[in-house]
Amino acid sequence: MTRHTTTLAATLLLGAALLGPGTAAVAQPGRQDVYVAPGGSDSAPGTAAHPIRTVARAQQLARDRAPHLTTDLTIHLAPGVFRLDKPLTLDARDSGTGGHRIIWQGSGRTVLSGGRQVTGWRPVPGHAGLFAAPEPAGMDNTRQLYIDGVREQRAQGQLPVKLTATDTGYTASADTLAHWHDPSDIELVYTAGEALWNVQRNGLGQWTEPRCPIASATGTTITMAQPCWDNSTRRVEFPDIPGRTVNMVGPGDLTNGRQPSFVDNARELLDTPGEWYLDRSARTIYYLPRAHEDLRHADVEVPALEKLVDGRGTATAPIQDVAFRGIQFSYATWLTPSSPEGFSEIQAGYTNTGVGAYATQGLCGFVTGGTCPYASWTKEPGNVSVSQSRRVEFSDDVFTHLGAAGLDLGDGAQDATVRANVFTDISGNGVEVGGVDQPQGGEMTSGVQVTDNHLYGLPREFHGGVPIVNGYTQHDTIAHNEIDHVAYSAISVGWGGWPDKIMQPATPNVSHDNVIADNAIHDYMLALDDGGGIYTQGITGTSLTDGEKVTGNVIHGQWGLGKAVYTDNGNTYETISGNVLYGAAYFDVGTPHVDYRDALGNNDPTLIQGNYWEQGDRDGTNKGVITTGNHLLSTPAAAPASIVSAAGIEPTYRWVLQRPVDGRSAPDAPSRVGTFAVAGKLYVTWNPTVAENGSPVTAYVLTTTDGTHRVTTTVPAADFLRTGYATVPGLTDGRAYTVTVAARNALGAGFASLPSAPVTVGAPADSLAAAPTGAKALPAVDAVSLHWTPPKNTGATPVLAYRITVSDGRTITAVGRDALVSQPTAKGMTRVIDGLTPGTAYTFTIAAVTGNGAGAPVSVTAKTTG
């Protein structure tokens, strides 16, 4: 055995050990196996002793051998980086045969990369601390830059002018943008805000974050790129429902008196260490290093490819029996949002694209020429994608440092396995299964198993994305995943339910027998609103027997306004059973919707059974919505250990929670900073960061300034998560202040947020909140679920909390993000009051607490059971 053979064999064994005890076994070497190493040669035979160098050559050897398989053929990829100059494109020739598989087997630190290293950094004269380097050859654009595995921030900041919308863009209050280096590089981003605490509501719905490029700036005239502008401002609205689009997906106009939230990708905003800018015309990358970074020795990567793996089977010649194991997929981008198409978001990363799309897409049956069978919206592409396939497997892989969706299993993907992978640091969706158009020619997406994966810290760029999004599919299972620290919903299923807003039935589709079970979901909806831990809309089957099953999930720690299990428009035949649900910022389970498939006035059939929740609804049948056998969760600790321990990643695969991913750094910036003022101090709220970057957030650093004086306040993360706000005392009445917020972990403080709108400190009018309304108490043996609706009139300041007085002498202060967001949106509040005596009557008095104190109370009486 030569020295090289010994080394490669050792690395293969090391790779198996690094992947963890739950990893699918590394295939035993066979006579037909192919060996690949970064130091190999494509003129070699591809044996363990003489490996080849590229995956392209490995693919050719595997294709030559595939028709003659007598056992599985494994392509052994040694540790190291395999740089792709084009995607690994698969078709039926790459399939296993005779019941055997083609296995692409990584070994520990195997990386398939679409990136190019950036070298040749030099200081920029006249710009202290700024460095520049030539763009790598063979590429002319990218949206991401990474230094030692850390995603850096494109130069961004506040808009320096006020804008007034026109048919083609805006008129600016000054000609500032026209004098910037290249206005056509700039994107205007519209973050969904809240009508709360001086935060403006933008976006195309609370669940979206669209962005459109500028085409040109001349004087004060800002011309926006087409078709993004029309697709985001001219959506077809009902004449009698102002602001509501015909297809029911959000408002019809991106502007409507709103300003963009921030400007992205402008050289003039390159002012913070860790920011970068690509000057496309000069083919030069600019970067402002952090204090600890030495660009002479750093690994600086820009993604060049938009696809790493592109599996394109056909209905008659599908890709079959292919597995990818132990591989890290990294450094791919997605350039459509940089084009005139922009990112005109609908929901879950789907967009309007194409000239005139606003007038046709998603409008089947509503307007002449509306696209059918329903949506025809554009799905985020996967940087790794497979369609028209049978028995494709991705296991023990890492999907990270990606610029689109991570993995897309498209139309016709059947019996696929996605198991024990990590999905993190991805711009958009994590895993996409199927689509939102009904498949043509009978080629269903079906039998897909998405199990035992860890999905976290995403999406990083398109914040309306979802870790797991499942469209019109059959017999899929999404189970035993852990999903945490995500911007919006954790799992999204179904489509086509919006017509119930105009009293029409949900769009028929082919879905049935899908299961979402035993997932652990927490710290979700950290950036956007109106979603859930598990969000479903549209028809899920033909009956409760084959409709969607949501069972055994443990969901808690919601930040934005929504529901733990959200049964949205047209959600028909869903069973929600045996889940543990708490800490939602509205309801644990969504409210019923009318079923417009007939004229009977019933609700969409739904079964809500045997859950452990804080909602506390009584057993009953509400026109087809059956609620039975649920249990009031007095405290999270009272949840059955059998459900809690079974949720999330199964014991065999729990090593995936410790799977190392490069790119540890300080956290990303928080978002949506809002304030209000009283005498001598500010109240401040914000949305936590999605990306903790390898170390938990321990504190938030607030910087408050009136332009002359600066105050720094450090708030422990635990305190903020408990209350949802912080205070900055010691300020001067009559002065206007802004606040930025940065998150801190063990690796330091990260980027500061964009500043809040200015607010003037001073004593507000001396008025208190009116009484809450609709109070009710739903009793159990030793606890009640207390419900109320926030007061419409809160006096001079918003609601901070609620004071609950119990007739046993206790006073409980209900704080948290839900107390802040429920009042301006008139959503209900829920709190469980435990420690009660069975069979005893209690009175509960509730008052809203504002900056001026506790307001008028409302009382409700209930008797515990038992």
Side-chain angles (χ1 to χ4, degrees):
M1 181 178 289
T2 67
R3 180 177 179 181
H4 186 89
T5 305
T6 303
T7 302
L8 184 57
T11 58
L12 291 174
L13 291 174
L14 173 63
L18 287 173
L19 289 175
T23 305
V26 176
Q28 296 299 312
R31 290 179 299 171
Q32 299 182 94
D33 285 2
V34 178
Y35 292 80
V36 196
S41 169
D42 278 357
S43 62
T47 62
H50 302 286
I52 57 176
R53 184 178 62 85
T54 67
V55 296
R57 178 58 177 156
Q59 179 185 35
Q60 186 58 57
L61 291 176
R63 281 180 172 180
D64 293 343
R65 299 172 187 181
H68 315 292
L69 295 184
T70 58
T71 186
D72 291 349
L73 188 160
T74 301
I75 301 168
H76 301 271
L77 300 169
V81 178
F82 294 88
R83 294 188 181 275
L84 305 178
D85 57 9
K86 60 182 180 180
L88 175 60
T89 301
L90 307 179
D91 58 32
R93 294 172 293 172
D94 300 289
S95 299
T97 59
H100 304 295
R101 295 168 294 180
I102 303 290
I103 302 171
W104 294 78
Q105 177 70 63
S107 301
R109 299 290 185 179
T110 300
V111 180
L112 289 188
S113 171
R116 305 288 183 266
Q117 285 188 308
V118 183
T119 59
W121 293 98
R122 64 190 187 281
V124 177
H127 298 271
L130 185 64
F131 282 74
E135 183 184 48
M139 60 177 292
D140 59 6
N141 199 6
T142 191
R143 294 182 62 86
Q144 296 83 30
L145 179 141
Y146 300 84
I147 297 184
D148 294 329
V150 175
R151 179 185 291 237
E152 306 296 353
Q153 179 173 288
R154 291 204 301 179
Q156 63 179 230
Q158 288 185 298
L159 195 69
V161 292
K162 293 293 184 181
L163 300 180
T164 301
T166 67
D167 287 343
T168 58
Y170 294 100
T171 299
S173 58
D175 64 353
T176 307
L177 294 182
H179 297 289
W180 281 14
H181 172 67
D182 189 348
S184 67
D185 280 345
I186 296 171
E187 295 172 12
L188 301 185
V189 185
Y190 303 80
T191 299
E194 299 159 342
L196 165 73
W197 287 33
N198 220 12
V199 178
Q200 185 184 38
R201 186 184 301 280
N202 294 323
L204 286 161
Q206 301 173 57
W207 55 90
T208 68
E209 191 178 85
R211 53 177 66 214
C212 279
I214 290 176
S216 65
T218 304
T220 59
T221 299
I222 310 298
T223 302
M224 298 297 291
Q226 295 286 14
C228 187
W229 186 245
D230 281 352
N231 285 338
S232 303
T233 61
R234 298 182 63 186
R235 296 182 182 177
V236 181
E237 296 183 5
F238 286 109
D240 55 342
I241 312 178
R244 172 64 72 175
T245 55
V246 170
N247 61 18
M248 297 294 116
V249 190
D253 188 350
L254 185 65
T255 56
N256 196 23
R258 305 163 184 158
Q259 297 289 301
S261 304
F262 63 93
V263 180
D264 194 21
N265 200 38
R267 191 175 76 175
E268 286 72 14
L269 299 176
L270 185 54
D271 56 7
T272 303
E275 285 189 322
W276 68 282
Y277 168 74
L278 170 61
D279 186 338
R280 287 184 289 177
S281 60
R283 303 184 64 85
T284 300
I285 297 173
Y286 293 90
Y287 180 67
L288 192 59
R290 294 181 171 91
H292 66 276
E293 290 172 333
D294 184 347
L295 296 179
R296 296 171 300 174
H297 306 294
D299 175 25
V300 184
E301 302 274 350
V302 288
L305 298 184
E306 296 187 79
K307 293 278 189 184
L308 299 175
V309 177
D310 190 9
R312 301 179 183 179
T314 67
T316 56
I319 300 167
Q320 301 185 99
D321 300 307
V322 177
F324 291 87
R325 299 175 180 170
I327 298 170
Q328 177 172 316
F329 299 98
S330 290
Y331 302 121
T333 190
W334 178 36
L335 298 178
T336 296
S338 298
S339 76
E341 292 285 359
F343 189 73
S344 180
E345 189 169 25
I346 295 290
Q347 185 170 354
Y350 284 86
T351 54
N352 270 334
T353 58
V355 175
Y358 67 89
T360 59
Q361 289 183 351
L363 298 176
C364 180
F366 292 116
V367 300
T368 302
T371 51
C372 293
Y374 184 66
S376 294
W377 291 314
T378 301
K379 183 170 61 172
E380 282 178 359
N383 291 135
V384 177
S385 65
V386 179
S387 59
Q388 299 296 353
S389 64
R390 307 291 184 270
R391 298 177 299 281
V392 169
E393 172 194 333
F394 291 89
S395 61
D396 316 326
D397 298 320
V398 174
F399 295 79
T400 189
H401 314 328
L402 299 173
L407 172 63
D408 176 29
L409 298 174
D411 287 345
Q414 298 183 2
D415 300 321
T417 299
V418 182
R419 182 186 61 237
N421 305 286
V422 171
F423 294 82
T424 189
D425 186 21
I426 297 170
S427 288
N429 295 326
V431 181
E432 299 177 329
V433 183
V436 301
D437 270 329
Q438 295 185 31
Q440 302 300 301
E443 288 301 320
M444 281 299 308
T445 302
S446 65
V448 176
Q449 308 282 312
V450 182
T451 62
D452 292 295
N453 303 283
H454 189 198
L455 306 99
Y456 66 97
L458 76 156
R460 294 291 296 273
E461 186 175 0
F462 310 113
H463 291 126
V466 179
I468 302 175
V469 57
N470 191 100
Y472 293 152
T473 65
Q474 299 173 358
H475 297 285
D476 288 349
T477 299
I478 301 170
H480 288 292
N481 302 285
E482 178 146 345
I483 306 174
D484 61 276
H485 293 89
V486 295
Y488 179 52
S489 299
I491 299 172
S492 183
V493 186
W495 214 262
W498 297 288
D500 75 358
K501 295 290 188 186
I502 53 170
M503 296 182 288
Q504 292 189 22
T507 304
N509 70 77
V510 293
S511 296
H512 62 78
D513 290 292
N514 293 314
V515 174
I516 302 98
D518 303 311
N519 299 284
I521 298 169
H522 58 94
D523 296 288
Y524 62 101
M525 290 180 62
L526 297 182
L528 303 182
D529 292 305
D530 201 12
I534 298 171
Y535 173 94
T536 304
Q537 49 107 350
I539 300 173
T540 73
T542 62
S543 67
L544 283 171
T545 300
D546 69 356
E548 182 179 308
K549 305 295 188 297
V550 177
T551 66
N553 303 281
V554 176
I555 306 174
H556 63 93
Q558 181 186 108
W559 190 255
L561 189 66
K563 301 157 190 174
V565 178
Y566 197 152
T567 55
D568 205 3
N569 301 305
N571 185 199
T572 307
Y573 298 129
E574 180 168 318
T575 297
I576 304 163
S577 65
N579 303 282
V580 172
L581 313 170
Y582 60 94
Y586 184 20
F587 278 147
D588 289 326
V589 176
T591 51
H593 294 78
V594 174
D595 184 354
Y596 291 106
R597 294 176 300 165
D598 53 41
L600 300 178
N602 291 322
N603 289 321
D604 295 321
T606 309
L607 175 61
I608 306 168
Q609 182 177 38
N611 300 285
Y612 293 80
W613 60 357
E614 295 180 321
Q615 193 162 317
D617 290 357
R618 298 182 177 94
D619 287 359
T621 300
N622 180 11
K623 298 180 180 180
V625 177
I626 301 170
T627 303
T628 181
N630 299 288
H631 312 275
L632 182 62
L633 192 61
S634 57
T635 68
S642 58
I643 299 176
V644 174
S645 62
I649 296 172
E650 296 171 282
T652 302
Y653 301 104
R654 283 183 185 161
W655 54 268
V656 79
L657 293 171
Q658 281 74 49
R659 183 76 179 267
V661 177
D662 58 342
R664 288 169 52 84
S665 71
D668 269 14
S671 62
R672 296 162 74 182
V673 182
T675 60
F676 76 84
V678 295
K681 68 179 178 181
L682 290 180
Y683 288 90
V684 187
T685 186
W686 61 90
N687 281 62
T689 178
V690 169
E692 296 189 317
N693 293 336
S695 178
V697 171
T698 57
Y700 291 94
V701 181
L702 282 60
T703 302
T704 306
T705 180
D706 62 0
T708 302
H709 304 91
R710 185 179 301 268
V711 176
T712 300
T713 309
T714 299
V715 179
D719 290 352
F720 171 67
L721 293 176
R722 179 178 58 84
T723 63
Y725 67 90
T727 59
V728 181
L731 304 180
T732 302
D733 286 357
R735 291 182 179 174
Y737 291 88
T738 61
V739 184
T740 62
V741 184
R744 175 184 291 163
N745 64 13
L747 302 170
F751 282 104
S753 68
L754 295 171
S756 66
V759 62
T760 299
V761 170
D766 187 14
S767 59
L768 300 176
T773 61
K776 62 180 179 179
L778 304 178
V781 173
D782 58 357
V784 301
S785 177
L786 196 60
H787 297 235
W788 67 93
T789 301
K792 292 182 179 180
N793 180 6
T794 67
T797 78
V799 171
L800 290 166
Y802 292 89
R803 182 175 298 168
I804 303 171
T805 303
V806 186
S807 57
D808 62 8
R810 288 183 289 166
T811 298
I812 299 166
T813 302
V815 295
R817 182 66 166 189
D818 58 340
L820 311 186
V821 299
S822 60
Q823 178 263 315
T825 51
K827 302 298 184 184
M829 286 285 297
T830 300
R831 281 296 183 273
V832 173
I833 309 300
D834 65 346
L836 305 179
T837 301
T840 303
Y842 290 88
T843 299
F844 307 90
T845 301
I846 310 161
V849 178
T850 67
N852 280 333
V858 64
S859 295
V860 61
T861 298
K863 183 178 181 180
T864 53
T865 61

